[in-house]
Amino acid sequence: MAYAKIKQPKLADVIEDRIESMILDGSLELGEKLPAERELAKQFDVSRPSLREAIQRLESKGLLTRRQGGGTYVKEALREKLTDPLFELLNTHPESQYDLLEFRHALEGFSAYYAALRGTAEDFDKIKHCFAAIEDAQKNDDLELEIQSVALFYLAVIEASRNVVFLHLARGIKPLLEKNISDNVKQLYDYPEVAKKIHQHRLQLLEAILSKQPLVAQKASAQHLIYIEESRSVMLREESSFKRELGRF
């Protein structure tokens, strides 16, 4: 019986697959500039003609774009498929922030679970670094920096889940997440005991992930967001009651 020959993959095909995988797993971010052709060929240990062919194919697919005299970039417009004016509309309506909290329950809860399950040492270092940045911002009483650091902390947890759908979804709606975090912090941090509790919850989440306890991490994420949601609801009722009282005078 004659067996068909196994065709060796063309080098340009291998390079193309490799770059696509790097875009998919977030190693190459949207809008990021690729190294110069000479350097990239050296990193991949391939010939420049093969590399050039792979890049041209990725350009035709709409994944890469060349800028005249400025190099080759991962196409920023790829994110436009994930974000649109609707997100801006959601961002400007306070009621939608509660819906976003519910969405975060799912995204961050499962991300925490998988981060604890399959996060790497590098992932854990990044999460710890982000958490330390939160504490530094708190010590320096820099609220805006703390908000940015909190957002980066949750994104680091999502990245550590090693789920590329979670990763790109989170990056795509990053402005929504940042707005939600900012609203929560600015409203709840007026109450020191609430701010302290929120920080304790984040610490519990961090410890559960670092100790590789998926279910504990998922539960810690849920408790954290439930507490935020309940605290905001209580404060909203108190504010409404106060306004009604003022209306009587």
Side-chain angles (χ1 to χ4, degrees):
M1 181 179 178
Y3 291 94
K5 262 190 171 181
I6 297 175
K7 279 184 69 176
Q8 290 294 325
K10 193 176 177 183
L11 189 53
D13 294 339
V14 176
I15 300 167
E16 183 181 358
D17 288 345
R18 174 77 183 279
I19 294 175
E20 283 183 346
S21 294
M22 291 174 73
I23 294 170
L24 191 60
D25 68 18
S27 303
L28 282 172
E29 293 198 30
L30 304 189
E32 183 176 342
K33 183 180 180 181
L34 269 64
E37 192 177 274
R38 183 191 300 275
E39 184 184 338
L40 196 56
K42 188 177 179 182
Q43 287 180 16
F44 286 161
D45 194 22
V46 296
S47 67
R48 291 176 72 178
S50 294
L51 175 66
R52 199 172 296 125
E53 182 183 346
I55 287 175
Q56 286 171 350
R57 289 186 196 171
L58 291 166
E59 280 184 87
S60 68
K61 285 183 175 182
L63 293 172
L64 299 180
T65 183
R66 288 183 190 271
R67 297 179 189 172
Q68 192 65 33
T72 303
Y73 293 76
V74 180
K75 206 165 184 178
E76 181 70 32
L78 294 174
R79 186 163 283 138
E80 291 173 6
K81 299 298 182 183
L82 294 173
T83 58
D84 58 33
L86 176 61
F87 280 179
E88 182 58 31
L89 189 62
L90 288 170
N91 231 348
T92 56
H93 282 255
E95 299 86 357
S96 67
Q97 296 301 309
Y98 291 97
D99 292 333
L100 185 55
L101 271 171
E102 291 179 3
F103 170 77
R104 287 179 61 191
H105 275 292
L107 179 62
E108 293 176 24
F110 282 114
S111 292
Y113 178 92
Y114 287 115
L117 185 68
R118 55 195 181 203
T120 65
E122 186 180 352
D123 291 328
F124 292 165
D125 284 342
K126 186 172 183 179
I127 293 170
K128 285 190 288 186
H129 176 77
C130 292
F131 188 82
I134 295 172
E135 295 191 317
D136 287 342
Q138 288 174 338
K139 287 173 187 173
N140 294 320
D141 215 17
D142 189 334
L143 189 61
E144 290 303 322
L145 181 58
E146 182 177 351
I147 290 167
Q148 293 172 24
S149 300
V150 169
L152 290 174
F153 171 74
Y154 292 128
L155 283 172
V157 171
I158 292 167
E159 288 175 11
S161 73
R162 296 287 156 178
N163 183 304
V164 295
V165 178
F166 290 174
L167 169 66
H168 289 290
L169 183 58
R171 286 182 178 175
I173 63 168
K174 186 180 175 186
L176 273 180
L177 293 174
E178 288 176 337
K179 174 71 164 55
N180 187 252
I181 290 166
S182 178
D183 287 351
N184 293 337
V185 167
K186 288 177 179 177
Q187 182 181 30
L188 301 178
Y189 276 31
D190 285 338
Y191 302 82
E193 70 280 4
V194 174
K196 184 178 178 181
K197 189 76 172 176
I198 288 172
H199 189 67
Q200 288 173 345
H201 285 159
R202 287 198 202 106
L203 180 59
Q204 289 168 359
L205 174 61
L206 173 72
E207 290 173 344
I209 291 171
L210 297 182
S211 59
K212 295 180 179 267
Q213 299 183 73
L215 290 173
V216 177
Q218 187 176 24
K219 184 178 179 182
S221 176
Q223 287 178 330
H224 172 57
L225 291 168
I226 288 169
Y227 180 75
I228 289 174
E229 190 172 359
E230 289 177 346
S231 297
R232 286 194 65 168
S233 295
V234 168
M235 289 172 195
L236 185 64
R237 286 197 298 271
E238 289 177 350
E239 185 181 333
S240 297
S241 176
F242 180 68
K243 286 178 179 177
R244 283 197 300 272
E245 288 296 324
L246 283 178
R248 293 177 183 174
F249 298 98

